Amino acid sequence: MTTVEFEQPDGSVTTVEAADGESIMRTALSNLVPGIVADCGGELSCATCHVIVSDAWVGIAGPPSGFEDEMLDATSEEREPGSRLSCQVVVSPVLDGVRVRVPASQW
Amino acid sequence: MSRRVVVLGAGHGGGEVVAALRAGGFDGPLTLVGDEATPPYQRPPLSKSFLLGASPADELLARPRSFYEQQQVDLVLGRRVDHVDTTARTVQVGDESVPYDVLVLALGGRPRMLADPAAAKADNLHQVKTHADVERLRDRLAPGTRVGVVGGGFVGLEVAASARKRGAEVTVLELAPRLLGRVCSEVVAEHVASLHGARGVDVRTGVTGLHLVTGDDGRIARVATDQGIVEVDEVVVGIGMTPETGPAEQAGLAVDDGILVDADYRTSAPDVFAIGDCARVLRPDGSTLRLESAPHAASSARRVAAVILGRETPPDAAPWFWSHQFEVKIQMAGDPSARVSRWVTRGDMAGGSFLTFGIVEDRIVRIEAVDRPAEFAQTKSWLDRPIPSVIDRLADESYSIRQLFARP
């Protein structure tokens, strides 16, 4: 089982088990992780599931592409080098232990 | 003392209410009742990715089945609730009378049907509401299948695009003079019409005299109109939705094309709320607004959860909506019924990447974007604010949206 760590703006960390093949957004919703709004349900239309992948994991999670990259220019909290829309990051064993930061606001 | 919350309707809004309540620390008994056999799932992908692909229905679930058990939500599926008693504070679920302290109606709506008598009986007529509806349609689509789509709104056009991508021969029949008449600008509607035309969809607007002609086998064989006869294998009807208000009417709540609610989604009965597509919200200026959209179902659910929890309510975001047709992303924000005095368009319409802003005086009241997601999101929060210095520069792409809307 792959685990994902969500770090909240106050520094607290929630570690949850994620199903491989599911997005980090769905993992957050399934586990009631605060701060992931996901208004469009993962259709790459709303930019309210923004997370910042921690430095050590950026290379493994990979860069945003196409519309995702454009939409990260419009997130509520300024994008950072590790910014991704969590609906586009698919959980797999190589991401076991990945830590993402949840921004202070999503809209 | 924990109050018992009962939510009627296990669609997008109903699912969000229970999740937002538990996320907000609500530890009382929580019951979610739905008439389908499936826990809450995403409906927007039905006419898009779900119709296109063969992905299993479980991928659409808003949250996994195990979520409801983990969160101690009493999930009652496959049951309709027809009786609500706001005096006794009970709802009738099957032969069981379930008491509530707070009731949330998240009843959604029903697709409208053609008045044509042939519509009721034909086995090859489809509507798009549930994933069962779409699975049935999907199983019938093959290259060359002739599909007649009645209705040129978003559902009809998304089905048309998905069916075309699967190789079907698609004809769209719209009664209004243009596509998307009630929901978007002429600029975007024209773009969508040409997009469909270029991809081989036969789009006919201003159609009159439409009726269904049934063959000997009881199936609809053709759709007859003043613009000729369309031979069909399958017919999809996407002509809008009627809000589900039955239980509210029966319970004596105020209803007028939607269950009437205040800004906190409170109905005319104490401790009864209505959210999402079935709710009609009273606004400060005395007008009312009913919105059919997944983002509204979710935001109204979050607001009601906050009210129940006695928390500060989140600000209501501007109404917004999106559509995907072929590979094109279309996004709209603002009140669709707002009367726009002029449209200002920014970007490359011929190249298929532009925004159009609906302007009234010094405000943007509508934003519609074709393949411009970042600028759409950046401008959305400026709806309905006076921005006199910006309006005339909106079309000028030598200014970035960030420059135009930089806070002073």
Side-chain angles (χ1 to χ4, degrees):
Chain A
M1 191 53 102
T2 306
T3 65
V4 178
E5 300 178 359
F6 292 90
E7 182 184 336
Q8 293 295 329
D10 67 2
S12 64
V13 176
T14 319
T15 302
V16 301
E17 290 190 345
D20 293 329
E22 274 201 349
S23 68
I24 287 188
M25 176 208 84
R26 297 252 307 175
T27 304
L29 294 185
S30 303
N31 291 282
L32 286 181
V33 173
I36 305 288
V37 177
D39 249 350
C40 79
E43 291 227 334
L44 204 49
S45 286
C46 72
T48 62
C49 67
H50 178 201
V51 294
I52 302 108
V53 178
S54 63
D55 295 346
W57 292 93
V58 168
I60 300 163
S65 63
F67 281 137
E68 183 192 351
D69 188 38
E70 280 188 52
M71 290 173 67
L72 283 165
D73 287 336
T75 48
S76 169
E77 297 286 313
E78 285 286 333
R79 73 184 288 175
E80 296 180 35
S83 283
R84 295 291 311 268
L85 294 182
S86 58
C87 66
Q88 302 301 308
V89 183
V90 176
V91 173
S92 70
V94 295
L95 283 174
D96 189 22
V98 66
R99 178 175 290 206
V100 301
R101 263 192 301 125
V102 178
S105 73
Q106 292 284 9
W107 76 81
Chain B
M1 57 143 234
S2 29
R3 294 169 298 164
R4 174 188 286 268
V5 178
V6 175
V7 181
L8 299 188
H12 200 79
E16 280 299 305
V17 171
V18 300
L21 281 170
R22 285 291 188 243
F26 178 79
D27 60 2
L30 195 42
T31 303
L32 179 62
V33 186
D35 59 0
E36 285 180 68
T38 317
Y41 60 90
Q42 308 282 342
R43 289 191 204 276
L46 288 177
S47 48
K48 311 177 183 108
S49 53
F50 190 64
L51 180 54
L52 266 180
S55 55
D58 269 15
E59 277 184 18
L60 295 189
L61 290 181
R63 292 177 171 80
R65 290 164 197 272
S66 56
F67 171 85
Y68 302 93
E69 202 178 290
Q70 278 163 14
Q71 296 299 331
Q72 295 183 298
V73 175
D74 184 13
L75 196 54
V76 182
L77 296 176
R79 293 284 179 78
R80 273 188 73 87
V81 170
D82 293 315
H83 195 84
V84 174
D85 185 335
T86 58
T87 309
R89 294 182 180 235
T90 56
V91 296
Q92 194 70 31
V93 182
D95 50 16
E96 194 189 350
S97 176
V98 178
Y100 69 80
D101 298 300
V102 177
L103 180 66
V104 181
L105 304 174
L107 301 166
R110 278 170 302 192
R112 284 178 55 215
M113 187 30 94
L114 292 168
D116 199 306
K121 289 168 286 186
D123 146 83
N124 61 337
L125 185 138
H126 306 264
Q127 294 191 298
V128 176
K129 178 178 179 191
T130 66
H131 66 57
D133 294 339
V134 175
E135 272 171 347
R136 179 166 157 266
L137 173 61
R138 192 169 71 184
D139 289 346
R140 308 257 186 109
L141 290 182
T145 304
R146 298 165 306 173
V147 180
V149 177
V150 181
F154 280 116
V155 167
L157 291 168
E158 287 171 3
V159 167
S162 303
R164 184 73 195 122
K165 283 181 82 170
R166 297 195 49 160
E169 299 296 325
V170 183
T171 306
V172 174
L173 301 162
E174 167 58 50
L175 274 57
R178 68 168 173 96
L179 299 178
L180 299 166
R182 290 175 305 132
V183 284
C184 83
S185 66
E186 240 167 280
V187 179
V188 170
E190 270 171 34
H191 184 78
V192 169
S194 60
L195 169 72
H196 280 257
R199 301 294 290 263
V201 176
D202 180 355
V203 177
R204 304 183 191 180
T205 54
V207 167
T208 59
L210 183 142
H211 68 277
L212 307 173
V213 182
T214 310
D216 294 339
D217 57 1
R219 291 166 60 87
I220 297 160
R222 58 193 69 92
V223 184
T225 75
D226 70 318
Q227 294 186 31
I229 287 169
V230 181
E231 305 277 340
V232 292
D233 300 306
E234 308 294 330
V235 176
V236 182
V237 176
I239 54 171
M241 203 191 76
T242 311
E244 180 61 81
T245 56
E249 281 174 58
Q250 167 273 316
L253 306 185
V255 169
D256 178 13
D257 184 36
I259 303 167
L260 294 175
V261 294
D262 69 11
D264 282 337
Y265 299 92
R266 239 180 253 281
T267 70
S268 57
D271 296 314
V272 181
F273 297 86
I275 60 167
D277 290 8
C278 73
R280 177 173 285 278
V281 184
L282 179 65
R283 298 191 287 181
D285 66 357
S287 65
T288 64
L289 179 65
R290 193 172 70 75
L291 290 168
E292 295 171 9
S293 81
H296 173 249
S299 65
S300 57
R302 292 193 290 264
R303 189 178 186 99
V304 162
V307 171
I308 294 170
L309 290 162
R311 301 266 171 84
E312 196 182 331
T313 48
D316 258 345
W320 75 282
F321 189 77
W322 79 95
S323 177
H324 296 163
Q325 294 165 42
F326 300 105
E327 288 77 35
V328 177
K329 181 186 286 293
I330 302 158
Q331 294 164 297
M332 292 138 292
D335 173 0
S337 65
R339 285 187 178 277
V340 168
S341 49
R342 65 187 167 114
W343 292 91
V344 174
T345 301
R346 171 187 177 90
D348 177 12
M349 287 177 63
S353 167
F354 63 94
L355 298 117
T356 188
F357 299 96
I359 308 293
V360 176
E361 291 168 6
D362 59 353
R363 287 152 208 259
I364 301 170
V365 296
R366 292 275 294 157
I367 305 168
E368 299 178 6
V370 174
D371 278 353
R372 286 253 175 151
E375 292 192 349
F376 172 79
Q378 283 159 4
T379 48
K380 206 161 60 144
S381 57
W382 290 86
L383 276 165
D384 293 322
R385 296 195 202 178
I387 39 170
S389 61
V390 172
I391 299 286
D392 292 327
R393 292 184 196 160
L394 283 172
D396 184 348
E397 290 203 271
S398 64
Y399 295 96
S400 74
I401 287 290
R402 277 220 192 273
Q403 279 173 300
L404 286 175
F405 291 95
R407 287 169 204 271

